[in-house]
C-alpha cells in the first residue's frame, strides 16, 4: 500500500505524511543516490537559513540534468527557498522556472 503525501502519516504522529516520515524516507533514499544533503539552504531574500528540518525533496524524475531539488522555508523571514543540484545549465533553467512560478520572489541556492 502506498501512502500519498497529503494523507495522515501511518506512524500515528497526526501529521501529514509529507511533513513526517515521507521527508525521512526520501532524504535517506536521495542521500544514497546523491551526495549528502546540505545542513541548510541559504535564503536569497534575507540571507537567513532554511534548516534541514524544513526540507521537502522535490520529485525530479524526468528533469534531465537535475540530481536533487529541495524546497525549504527560511527560519528568519519564512520565505520559500530552493536548492538545486545537477548540471549547471539544467540547474540554471530550473531555478529560472521556480523563480517565475513564485512570482520572482524566491530564494534560490545551488549546491554540489
Amino acid at each position: 500500500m502506498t501512502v500519498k503525501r497529503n494523507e495522515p502519516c501511518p506512524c500515528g504522529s497526526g501529521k501529514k505524511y509529507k511533513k513526517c516520515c515521507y521527508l525521512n524516507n526520501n532524504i535517506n533514499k536521495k542521500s544514497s543516490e546523491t551526495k549528502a544533503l546540505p545542513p541548510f539552504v541559504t535564503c536569497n531574500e534575507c540571507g537567513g537559513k532554511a534548516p534541514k528540518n524544513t526540507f521537502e525533496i522535490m520529485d525530479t524524475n524526468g528533469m534531465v540534468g537535475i540530481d536533487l531539488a529541495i524546497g525549504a522555508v527560511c527560519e528568519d523571514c519564512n520565505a520559500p527557498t530552493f536548492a538545486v543540484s545537477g548540471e549547471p545549465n539544467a540547474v540554471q533553467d530550473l531555478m529560472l522556472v521556480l523563480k517565475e512560478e513564485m512570482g520572482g520572489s524566491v530564494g534560490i541556492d545551488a549546491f554540489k
Side-chain angles (χ1 to χ4, degrees):
M1 179 178 132
T2 302
V3 180
K4 295 184 180 177
R5 292 170 18 99
N6 287 317
E7 292 178 353
C9 191
C11 77
S13 68
K15 297 179 183 179
K16 287 184 178 183
Y17 180 57
K18 70 180 180 182
K19 295 290 184 181
C20 193
C21 293
Y22 172 83
L23 181 61
N24 291 333
N25 292 341
N26 282 295
I27 285 175
N28 292 337
K29 178 181 165 191
K30 289 291 185 180
S31 292
S32 66
E33 295 171 3
T34 63
K35 294 181 182 177
L37 293 175
F40 62 87
V41 175
T42 302
C43 176
N44 287 340
E45 291 294 318
C46 74
K49 295 179 180 178
K52 198 178 223 177
N53 67 341
T54 68
F55 287 6
E56 186 167 331
I57 307 301
M58 299 168 62
D59 182 4
T60 58
N61 287 333
M63 293 184 189
V64 176
I66 301 296
D67 297 327
L68 180 64
I70 300 168
V73 178
C74 177
E75 63 185 357
D76 295 327
C77 71
N78 290 321
T81 191
F82 298 92
V84 181
S85 175
E87 296 173 14
N89 289 339
V91 168
Q92 182 179 11
D93 290 346
L94 179 56
M95 290 192 306
L96 290 173
V97 168
L98 290 170
K99 200 165 204 168
E100 186 176 297
E101 289 294 318
M102 298 299 292
S105 62
V106 63
I108 297 174
D109 192 13
F111 66 95
K112 295 184 180 212

